Amino acid sequence: MSDKTFYITTPIYYVNGDPHMGHVYCTVSCDVLARFKRLDGFRTHFLTGTDEHGLKVYQSARDKDMSPQEVTDLHSQNFRDLQPLFNLSNDDFIRTTEDRHKKGAQALWSKLEEAGDIYLDSYAGWYAVRDEAYYNEDELYDDEKGVKRAHASGAEVKWVEEESYFFKLSEWQDRLLEFYEQHPDFIHPSSSKNEIISFVKGGLKDLSISRTTFDWGVPVPGNEKHVMYVWIDALANYMTALGYPEKTDLFNTFWPADIHMVGKEITRFHCVYWPAFLMSAGLSTPKAVFGHGWMTVEGEKMSKSVGNVITPQTLIDRYGLDPARFILLRIAPFGNDCDFSHETAVNLINAELANGLGNLAQRTLSMIIKNCDEQIGARDNLTLEDEALLSQAYQMLEGVRVEFDAVRLHKGMEIIWKVVSAANGYIDSQAPWALKKTDIARMKVVLSVLSEVIRCLGLIIQPIMPDSGGKILDQLKVPEDQRSFEYLSPNHALSENITIDPPQGVFPRLVEEDAA
Ligand code: MSP
């Protein structure tokens, strides 16, 4: 068993509504990274789940005339159903209403209490249910109707006054600044990093961490009149899913997490509160938090009232599973805000999948079927062009590894599609269809070089498009146990004289109506 480990998490999703494309965007990006690491020899753990307590979920149940438990059971299942729909490889799915979680969240609370970082007082201030967040006066504005809202999100805030436990966050300012200094790779991207550091430098107030006006939450140990503030409860999921407070094998192997993938609006919770809680509890801190941007649709934020919500099922119905996974990551540089346009999606899928990779595999393999007795030929007397293309294919892994490690998923994909373009350029310049009439032996070499490059491409696209990568490798008769990245090298090149299967189109072209 490998001693290299990788633990990646999505945020846990609120269960006050159904999953949409924004949620899938985040989860698929984690799935791609998790699959990449598994194929690259890392023992990997990939966690997702649902955030089920708090006022927001409680109120949404009340609005639907359901009990909070009914509403959470229903919506949590809808998030869980994304696993087969998007072919997600998560190793676990945690719900914060599970006993294993509640027990762990309470244990974390007790640790903070033992450290002397919790005290009882009363809270008077502004609270936004939509964000489940407290705001200072200077973070608010009055809208045209005089409703007070938070600048950060536009969410309405209400005045709250109640008895509350507090976490002594104010005492963590210097230690947090020191922590960021010592861990320069903790916050990504750098724009979020600057924002977080200046927020902390601006001074931290103690944080209210319990509520008494409703009971839909994890009871505070020793004072069950209080439930924990939903964020302390929620953040604990990353450890409770590993068995915390028990020091299980899973916990010892995977904690601290390598990457918490989150949307940019919740980086503050992950980069300020979470390391402070962990340091206070004497636990190690995650290695990195990556705050990605938001996805809008045709220029507008997805919203039910605008009517532009793209459901996960719509994505699959329109494009098919693997093209849908591909397009989520390809539509814009990963991490930035990005706009989803159906027309751009169709154009990219046609250009890069159908005409790019699909056509390359189809052209090459059907020529082998027709002209080489279905057999991969020898690769001898290689020309400089042959060598150049092969070495570009073998070198691709190192480049993609660097980019994926830095969560520049789009850059990694660029490297892969450079090889696709180079191979399509090579097929055009070598013109094996012309060689058929003039130099059959050379034609066989060209097709064999191309098959080997297609094998490398089939291997490396597996994290992004697992089924399509698998189909390409099936056609080339690559055994199931030779599909990890250690096989992406000349030492494991396709054997000569293997007989391949007739190719089947891996990426169908989308027709114009699909762009409607
Ligand atoms: N429950 C908290 C997270 C707790 S993690 C310990 C939460 N849930 S959420 O359901 O509101 O959001 C979950 C994630 O989905 C966030 O990272 C958020 O940024 C992401 N997205 C929600 N809408 C989105 C888009 N339109 N685009 C991209 N991501 C978006 O916050």
Side-chain angles (χ1 to χ4, degrees):
M1 186 56 76
S2 165
D3 54 1
K4 299 184 290 183
T5 63
F6 182 70
Y7 178 29
I8 185 164
T9 64
T10 72
I12 46 172
Y13 300 104
Y14 285 131
V15 284
N16 60 320
D18 284 329
H20 60 62
M21 188 169 61
H23 303 128
V24 168
Y25 174 65
C26 181
T27 309
V28 167
S29 70
C30 292
D31 186 59
V32 170
L33 290 170
R35 286 178 182 274
F36 187 90
K37 286 291 183 183
R38 277 190 209 105
L39 288 166
D40 211 15
F42 284 68
R43 229 180 121 188
T44 296
H45 198 72
F46 167 26
L47 174 70
T48 186
T50 43
D51 190 355
E52 308 194 359
H53 291 129
L55 201 47
K56 175 157 143 155
V57 171
Y58 180 77
Q59 288 182 350
S60 110
R62 207 185 45 197
D63 295 346
K64 291 180 176 128
D65 258 341
M66 292 166 86
S67 71
Q69 191 61 54
E70 278 167 343
V71 112
T72 53
D73 286 347
L74 179 77
H75 288 299
S76 179
Q77 187 58 42
N78 293 341
F79 280 95
R80 203 185 275 267
D81 289 344
L82 293 177
Q83 178 163 20
L85 191 63
F86 277 84
N87 195 4
L88 303 171
S89 64
N90 51 296
D91 299 281
D92 196 357
F93 184 102
I94 185 139
R95 300 183 56 182
T96 53
T97 47
E98 288 173 65
D99 280 344
R100 63 169 172 160
H101 172 75
K102 291 193 238 176
K103 202 175 86 190
Q106 288 179 324
L108 176 64
W109 179 287
S110 302
K111 283 278 172 209
L112 305 182
E113 203 160 35
E114 279 164 32
D117 272 329
I118 291 183
Y119 64 93
L120 185 63
D121 200 342
S122 64
Y123 177 79
W126 298 102
Y127 192 75
V129 178
R130 200 176 86 196
D131 301 344
E132 295 282 20
Y134 300 94
Y135 287 106
N136 299 331
E137 191 73 48
D138 60 0
E139 293 176 294
L140 307 176
Y141 68 96
D142 288 317
D143 73 7
E144 62 286 358
K145 293 191 185 122
V147 176
K148 276 215 181 304
R149 295 185 181 277
H151 274 298
S153 61
E156 183 177 349
V157 294
K158 289 254 159 69
W159 186 257
V160 173
E161 276 190 41
E162 61 187 296
E163 183 181 89
S164 172
Y165 284 97
F166 284 80
F167 175 75
K168 292 182 185 166
L169 189 64
S170 58
E171 294 186 0
W172 284 89
Q173 179 176 2
D174 291 343
R175 279 174 284 183
L176 279 168
L177 291 171
E178 201 178 302
F179 168 75
Y180 304 140
E181 183 114 12
Q182 284 165 358
H183 300 87
D185 288 330
F186 178 62
I187 311 172
H188 295 271
S190 51
S191 50
S192 301
K193 182 168 171 174
N194 300 337
E195 221 173 274
I196 293 292
I197 292 179
S198 60
F199 171 76
V200 174
K201 280 191 174 153
L204 295 172
K205 291 208 314 197
D206 289 351
L207 180 69
S208 161
I209 50 165
S210 74
R211 305 291 311 256
T212 50
T213 45
F214 62 95
D215 63 359
W216 184 240
V218 180
V220 164
N223 188 351
E224 306 229 332
K225 203 169 83 189
H226 289 248
V227 289
M228 289 184 194
Y229 170 41
V230 66
W231 269 100
I232 183 167
D233 162 358
L235 287 162
N237 92 89
Y238 301 130
M239 294 194 309
T240 61
L242 300 178
Y244 179 83
E246 257 45 84
K247 294 285 162 57
T248 56
D249 276 355
L250 213 53
F251 186 86
N252 291 334
T253 307
F254 291 110
W255 191 257
D258 290 84
I259 300 183
H260 291 319
M261 185 72 80
V262 300
K264 62 181 179 181
E265 82 286 10
I266 57 171
T267 40
R268 191 189 288 186
F269 298 93
H270 285 81
C271 295
V272 181
Y273 305 162
W274 187 221
F277 294 157
L278 289 167
M279 289 192 279
S280 164
L283 292 158
S284 16
T285 45
K287 293 178 204 152
V289 174
F290 189 95
H292 63 72
W294 292 327
M295 192 169 258
T296 51
V297 176
E298 319 276 351
E300 293 203 65
K301 192 155 197 283
M302 255 183 292
S303 92
K304 280 190 200 147
S305 50
V306 179
N308 63 351
V309 172
I310 299 190
T311 67
Q313 186 67 53
T314 313
L315 275 177
I316 301 285
D317 293 344
R318 275 185 184 168
Y319 310 121
L321 168 60
D322 276 358
R325 288 173 59 102
F326 166 83
I327 204 61
L328 282 169
L329 304 180
R330 177 63 187 85
I331 199 109
F334 187 77
N336 295 359
D337 283 339
C338 66
D339 189 44
F340 192 89
S341 129
H342 187 46
E343 195 184 339
T344 313
V346 169
N347 290 340
L348 281 168
I349 287 172
N350 281 341
E352 298 187 5
L353 296 186
N355 298 346
L357 181 53
N359 201 22
L360 171 70
Q362 185 74 18
R363 288 204 278 179
T364 306
L365 303 187
S366 38
M367 279 202 76
I368 294 177
I369 295 286
K370 283 195 203 120
N371 305 301
C372 308
D373 294 329
E374 301 168 14
Q375 283 189 348
I376 307 277
R379 282 178 296 281
D380 40 24
N381 300 321
L382 293 183
T383 64
L384 284 179
E385 287 83 358
D386 303 341
E387 303 271 16
L389 182 64
L390 285 167
S391 78
Q392 194 180 348
Y394 295 130
Q395 277 165 17
M396 151 177 85
L397 174 62
E398 192 42 46
V400 177
R401 195 182 271 141
V402 169
E403 299 302 346
F404 276 24
D405 276 348
V407 198
R408 287 186 293 259
L409 297 174
H410 55 291
K411 291 269 183 205
M413 288 166 84
E414 236 170 74
I415 294 175
I416 302 174
W417 265 267
K418 270 193 187 140
V419 176
V420 173
S421 301
N424 272 321
Y426 170 91
I427 202 170
D428 289 340
S429 68
Q430 299 295 322
W433 45 89
L435 291 170
K436 194 168 105 181
K437 293 172 205 133
T438 55
D439 188 349
I440 297 256
R442 174 66 193 153
M443 175 197 75
K444 288 188 176 174
V445 173
V446 166
L447 292 173
S448 180
V449 167
L450 283 164
S451 308
E452 172 58 2
V453 172
I454 293 168
R455 182 187 72 93
C456 296
L457 288 166
L459 289 173
I460 203 141
I461 64 163
Q462 293 177 99
I464 307 163
M465 297 182 283
D467 288 349
S468 311
K471 274 189 205 158
I472 291 175
L473 298 171
D474 287 347
Q475 292 178 11
L476 290 170
K477 296 282 176 64
V478 176
E480 294 273 355
D481 60 356
Q482 294 180 18
R483 296 184 179 189
S484 65
F485 292 155
E486 67 179 289
Y487 291 91
L488 211 167
S489 91
N491 302 338
H492 301 282
L494 274 179
S495 328
E496 295 160 7
N497 298 330
I498 53 163
T499 305
I500 61 163
D501 286 340
Q504 288 158 0
V506 179
F507 301 112
R509 213 185 135 70
L510 299 174
V511 285
E512 233 3 76
E513 298 88 81
D514 293 324

